[in-house]
Amino acid sequence: MSEPLVDARRQLADAVKILGYDDGVYANLAAPRRELTVSIPLRRDDGTTEVLTGYRVQHNYSRGPAKGGLRYAPNVDLDEVRALAMWMTWKCALLGVPYGGAKGGVTIDPRNYSRAELERVTRRYTSEILPLIGPMQDIPAPDIGTDEQTMAWMMDTYSVNSGHTVLGVVTGKPISLGGSQGRASATSRGVVHIALQAMSHLHLAPSESTAAVQGFGKVGRGSARFLAEAGVKVLAVSDQYGGVHDPAGLDVPALEQHVDETGSVVGFGGAEAIDNEALLELEVDVLVPAAVEGVIHRGNASRINARLIVEGANGPTTAEADEILAGRGVTVAPDILANAGGVIVSYFEWVQANQAYWWSQEEVEARLADRMIGAWRDVLSYAQRQGLTLRTAATCLAVERVASAHAMRGLYP
């Protein structure tokens, strides 16, 4: 069993124990309701054939259709997808979004494939999982290695097989195909809403605070920008190729332009090189791990110098690291709360598609802020009342809501 899945089930077990539920509740919530593994034959541009493997896991759909991203990455496996699907269930329940959790993945390094090859992979993967997805069943969205173009191909493949256009089958689509204003930046905005709320709780003034962001992709890039706009001095950022550090603070707009021109933060003028491990251990007020799971672990948790960790990625902190950080008084805003902005605006996109009426960017961002700040207050209040960490409080709140839905629906037959 992979470490993310071990951690996800451990978090569930802790919540079940705190809530006083029996072993049957744990057993019901620890196992995915459905999972599918598919072969994806790919005709390469050179005429050769390669067979890839894809997955779709629906962890739970007691509260509504399953919802979750699709990632293309070389290390994707079934256990990772199971863990990510479970975390999506808790995220949706915690934020009051009427979905269950799902996740999909294809074991592929998209950097090694042409655009035409990725289109063929996406369309074949979509056709293989067609029986499981739909606007009332399971609604995919972009994740690592996928984007709005991937979602457009998925939506078109599903629609062609349905005989009519089905805008609500995926979210994270291009605006021209029924996407929502504000969706691209939603996860980053949510991360920064939670960061600023947590900083206020810890009496950290943005204009006097510093931050480091690991990962400069869909989540990290926007998080760095919005933190800087809030007055926080961003000292370091990194991506899969390396990182840059400036003790005086990075010029984030100039850095974004450098990334657009070169494809990486590496080599940004006036900044020192730094690796991902060193970035995590910098003396900053706020650390945003926004890359992949498991980067803060038993081996480095004792060397983390940030007062506040805001999890932009899914599962960036292992269970063992959590215990070490809690013992050292480090506040961790957990992933199922901090990075939930994406699924909130995905929900808004789905609602808009179903009613064929689209909102302005201002409406989307105001409703996003409302949801994120409300959820922060719920989690903080629960944590303080029960004497729990923010992660345990968030998981307990979410598990309680899902378990309640299970109990109300009953078991069939």
Side-chain angles (χ1 to χ4, degrees):
M1 194 186 302
S2 70
E3 190 164 22
L5 185 57
V6 170
D7 286 346
R9 288 182 174 171
R10 180 174 171 178
Q11 291 162 8
L12 170 61
D14 289 345
V16 165
K17 184 178 179 180
I18 290 167
L19 292 165
Y21 295 146
D22 60 32
D23 291 345
V25 172
Y26 172 82
N28 222 331
L29 297 179
R33 298 287 289 271
R34 288 183 188 145
E35 52 187 42
L36 181 64
T37 300
V38 298
S39 291
I40 306 168
L42 167 65
R43 184 177 62 255
R44 298 295 302 263
D45 292 340
D46 63 6
T48 61
T49 299
E50 179 180 339
V51 179
L52 304 167
T53 303
Y55 310 96
R56 190 70 185 175
V57 173
Q58 295 173 349
H59 172 256
N60 191 274
Y61 36 84
S62 292
R63 299 180 65 257
K67 184 83 185 78
L70 167 64
R71 67 173 48 179
Y72 287 175
N75 57 349
V76 167
D77 61 28
L78 184 56
D79 275 354
E80 178 188 51
V81 177
R82 287 168 172 157
L84 293 166
M86 185 184 295
W87 283 325
M88 274 299 299
T89 297
W90 311 145
K91 194 180 299 184
C92 293
L94 182 64
L95 274 295
V97 173
Y99 289 143
K103 203 73 177 186
V106 176
T107 309
I108 184 175
D109 188 340
R111 295 171 296 180
N112 298 334
Y113 294 79
S114 70
R115 177 185 172 94
E117 288 170 336
L118 291 173
E119 178 175 358
R120 291 196 286 275
V121 168
T122 301
R123 290 185 181 277
R124 184 56 183 257
Y125 169 79
T126 305
S127 69
E128 294 289 346
I129 67 165
L130 274 178
L132 263 63
I133 62 172
M136 299 301 163
Q137 291 174 265
D138 181 357
I139 307 122
D143 197 83
I144 293 171
T146 57
D147 56 20
E148 62 177 24
Q149 178 61 75
T150 316
M151 295 302 106
W153 291 329
M154 289 194 82
M155 187 273 284
D156 181 69
T157 305
Y158 184 91
S159 296
V160 167
N161 280 274
S162 300
H164 59 95
T165 299
V166 185
L167 295 178
V169 67
V170 296
T171 59
K173 301 181 297 296
I175 297 292
S176 59
L177 290 176
S180 176
Q181 296 287 344
R183 172 61 182 85
S185 63
T187 307
S188 303
R189 286 193 182 278
V191 165
V192 175
H193 282 310
I194 296 302
L196 294 174
Q197 291 296 311
M199 288 169 70
S200 175
H201 173 65
L202 296 172
H203 307 293
L204 293 171
S207 60
E208 299 169 9
S209 300
T210 57
V213 179
Q214 188 208 33
F216 206 69
K218 289 186 184 72
V219 180
R221 178 170 174 164
S223 298
R225 182 194 319 139
F226 299 138
L227 282 169
E229 288 176 359
V232 178
K233 191 182 292 184
V234 179
L235 302 189
V237 301
S238 64
D239 59 25
Q240 60 190 317
Y241 305 107
V244 289
H245 173 224
D246 186 345
L250 294 164
D251 182 339
V252 176
L255 177 62
E256 290 194 83
Q257 185 176 347
H258 172 80
V259 171
D260 289 340
E261 292 169 356
T262 68
S264 173
V265 301
V266 174
F268 179 58
E272 308 161 358
I274 188 172
D275 62 32
N276 273 291
E277 196 67 25
L279 178 144
L280 293 169
E281 298 171 13
L282 280 175
E283 290 196 21
V284 291
D285 296 302
V286 183
L287 174 63
V288 181
V292 294
E293 55 265 25
V295 297
I296 301 174
H297 46 77
R298 180 176 58 183
N300 65 2
S302 62
R303 299 194 300 275
I304 301 296
N305 286 299
R307 287 187 60 191
L308 169 65
I309 296 172
V310 184
E311 295 185 332
N314 291 310
T317 310
T318 68
E320 290 176 320
D322 248 345
E323 292 180 4
I324 295 168
L325 293 168
R328 296 179 58 225
V330 178
T331 300
V332 180
D335 48 4
I336 62 171
L337 170 63
N339 69 29
V343 74
I344 291 171
V345 180
S346 277
Y347 167 54
F348 294 165
E349 180 178 332
W350 178 75
V351 168
Q352 292 169 81
N354 288 341
Q355 64 183 6
Y357 180 82
W358 278 263
W359 308 338
S360 70
Q361 181 148 342
E362 291 74 17
E363 288 176 294
V364 170
E365 290 180 1
R367 293 175 183 188
L368 169 63
D370 219 38
R371 291 266 182 159
M372 294 300 299
I373 293 168
W376 162 261
R377 290 173 179 160
D378 287 348
V379 172
L380 180 63
S381 172
Y382 193 98
Q384 291 175 329
R385 286 199 316 271
Q386 304 292 333
L388 303 171
T389 66
L390 293 175
R391 187 187 312 283
T392 304
T395 307
C396 284
L397 270 172
V399 169
E400 191 172 33
R401 291 169 184 175
V402 176
S404 174
H406 268 283
M408 293 297 290
R409 291 182 63 154
L411 283 179
Y412 174 84

